[in-house]
Amino acid sequence: VLAQDPIAAAWPRGLGDRLGKPAVFAMLSPVARQLWLRSAPGLRAAAARLGPPAGHAGVGGRSWLPQARFATTVFNVKPRKGQTGGEQTLFVVGLNEGKFFGQDGAEEGLKLLERVAEQQGPKYNLLFSLTERELNTLEEDHKIKNQRLTPSRDLEGQRNCEFIPIIQAGMIDKSGRRALGRILRTTQGHVAWQLWKNPREAIKLFWAYWKRKQHKNVACREFWSKHFPVCSHAYFEENAELIVIRTAELMTAAHSQGKDSTWVLLVSNQYFQPVAERLNLMLDAGAPEKMGSTDFSRHLRERATELCAEVPDLTALLLFVYLGFPILVVQSAWYGFERVWHNSGAHDKVFVPEYRD
């Protein structure tokens, strides 16, 4: 990757000496910046002068400092002392809904896979924020033909279509593919339970329902988190936490076996920021020791069990209390008023009937 970057390739020819490290570092592509930080720790001081980015986690659990415009970040966990192998590299890519080209589109993910494959061959593992059912459905409905990807024009408008090109690229490379998302029924149950305990947020759903399609991707999470802080946590934060836990479990297993692995995690941009923040906390400088601890693995399992615990789905009860019951009250009041109106004779006084001989 560094050799293909024109600025990075020019570094050995003295470009860095003429322009200065900070200036050259700012000219590198985002992926090249990340790999430079991994391969040349001395560049961290140069990167620090560029200022911290907003919402991006870092290499080896530290914030990688150059600004990036698209949602991507990388983490690296080194082997423990005395361990010959087990280095774990994790790329996290955020995708916008229904977007194939440009910033935060499927094209960015495909470029990353191409560069990873050129470096290490097709020995990477794909992780998705989808549920198992969603991933299986996409794989069954969009099988590769003649080792070629399906044209984007044939995928537009389909649910989770931004993931399909990357899934097909994984099929061609025969890489492992795993779904990490929580099943919809469990998420619905957790959100409904929070709505039941917070009537104020449940009442606000009447006006928010009509605005649900106006906000997508990052704006979607920001909108619901602003107006529904409790219930949105059960949806966005819990899903993001479960994705991070399942990713950490896979990396821990490979790290314990002394197996060098590369992981590419594709998430919806609804979850990218909370996922990156939680990974930044979990995969810090002490990550190699954590992954060798049985307490760390046990904590991950226990927390994942809590997040996937089945709770009573109160959706039907919420619909009756906040929608059905008010309609019944209004209907009963109208019928009662209509009956009193007619029995009192007020109707005949206001609307004088016409009598004909």
Side-chain angles (χ1 to χ4, degrees):
V1 175
L2 295 177
Q4 292 179 353
D5 191 289
I7 303 300
W11 186 287
R13 296 197 296 270
L15 181 62
D17 296 333
R18 294 195 300 271
L19 298 181
K21 291 182 179 180
V24 174
F25 195 85
M27 298 167 62
L28 296 177
S29 66
V31 175
R33 290 174 181 176
Q34 299 169 22
L35 294 181
W36 266 116
L37 289 178
R38 289 176 52 195
S39 60
L43 290 177
R44 293 188 184 275
R49 302 180 189 177
L50 300 178
H56 288 275
V59 180
R62 298 180 181 179
S63 177
W64 65 279
L65 301 174
Q67 179 73 34
R69 291 188 176 182
F70 54 89
T72 182
T73 188
V74 61
F75 297 88
N76 181 257
V77 179
K78 297 293 184 181
R80 297 190 303 273
K81 293 182 178 180
Q83 191 177 18
T84 57
E87 181 176 1
Q88 306 297 306
T89 303
L90 171 65
F91 294 93
V92 185
V93 181
L95 302 177
N96 278 348
E97 179 182 350
K99 189 170 184 179
F100 296 101
F101 303 102
Q103 177 180 326
D104 296 337
E107 181 184 19
E108 294 292 346
L110 292 175
K111 288 180 179 179
L112 175 61
L113 294 186
E114 182 180 3
R115 292 173 178 175
V116 171
E118 289 175 355
Q119 284 287 107
Q120 303 181 6
K123 297 181 180 180
Y124 57 87
N125 300 279
L126 289 174
L127 308 175
F128 299 93
S129 61
L130 304 170
T131 64
E132 290 188 8
R133 182 176 180 179
E134 290 172 336
L135 178 59
N136 293 335
T137 300
L138 293 179
E139 290 180 340
E140 289 294 329
D141 295 344
H142 303 281
K143 296 181 178 180
I144 55 175
K145 298 179 181 179
N146 300 322
Q147 299 295 302
R148 298 179 64 88
L149 305 183
T150 303
S152 60
R153 62 178 177 272
D154 297 336
L155 304 176
E156 293 179 352
Q158 299 188 31
R159 182 177 176 82
N160 298 317
C161 59
E162 65 274 10
F163 290 96
I164 297 175
I166 302 173
I167 293 174
Q168 291 183 331
M171 293 179 179
I172 294 175
D173 290 341
K174 297 181 180 179
S175 62
R177 300 178 298 279
R178 294 286 297 271
L180 307 180
R182 185 169 62 178
I183 61 176
L184 180 60
R185 184 180 67 254
T186 303
T187 300
Q188 179 175 308
H190 283 234
V191 174
W193 178 250
Q194 294 300 331
L195 283 172
W196 179 254
K197 295 194 300 182
N198 297 272
R200 291 185 179 181
E201 294 193 2
I203 293 174
K204 290 194 293 185
L205 282 176
F206 283 103
W207 66 267
Y209 177 81
W210 304 104
K211 297 185 178 183
R212 69 190 188 281
K213 295 184 179 180
Q214 299 178 10
H215 307 276
K216 295 183 178 181
N217 306 311
V218 179
C220 176
R221 178 175 52 81
E222 292 176 349
F223 170 78
W224 292 102
S225 298
K226 177 181 178 181
H227 299 287
F228 302 86
V230 178
C231 300
S232 64
H233 184 276
Y235 184 85
F236 296 107
E237 299 296 333
E238 288 187 4
N239 271 303
E241 184 178 2
L242 183 62
I243 291 171
V244 169
I245 288 175
R246 289 176 171 174
T247 301
E249 287 180 332
L250 294 171
M251 295 177 67
T252 299
H255 189 270
S256 300
Q257 297 172 2
K259 180 181 178 182
D260 295 339
S261 301
T262 301
W263 311 86
V264 181
L265 173 59
L266 288 306
V267 301
S268 169
N269 265 340
Q270 295 181 356
Y271 306 115
F272 176 81
Q273 184 174 349
V275 166
E277 290 175 352
R278 292 180 181 277
L279 283 172
N280 195 34
L281 294 174
M282 187 173 294
L283 303 181
D284 55 9
E289 287 70 26
K290 289 181 183 178
M291 291 185 173
S293 171
T294 56
D295 293 337
F296 178 70
S297 300
R298 184 177 68 254
H299 171 72
L300 293 180
R301 290 193 301 269
E302 292 175 352
R303 183 55 183 160
T305 302
E306 293 177 5
L307 294 172
C308 294
E310 295 288 344
V311 298
D313 189 355
L314 304 179
T315 303
L317 181 59
L318 288 168
L319 289 173
F320 173 75
V321 172
Y322 292 100
L323 186 62
F325 185 72
I327 292 176
L328 290 177
V329 171
V330 172
Q331 184 184 40
S332 300
W334 172 256
Y335 287 153
F337 172 77
E338 188 178 40
R339 182 174 181 179
V340 172
W341 174 266
H342 284 283
N343 292 342
S344 64
H347 182 272
D348 294 338
K349 294 179 181 179
V350 176
F351 303 99
V352 180
E354 180 180 0
Y355 296 98
R356 295 185 180 181
D357 296 335

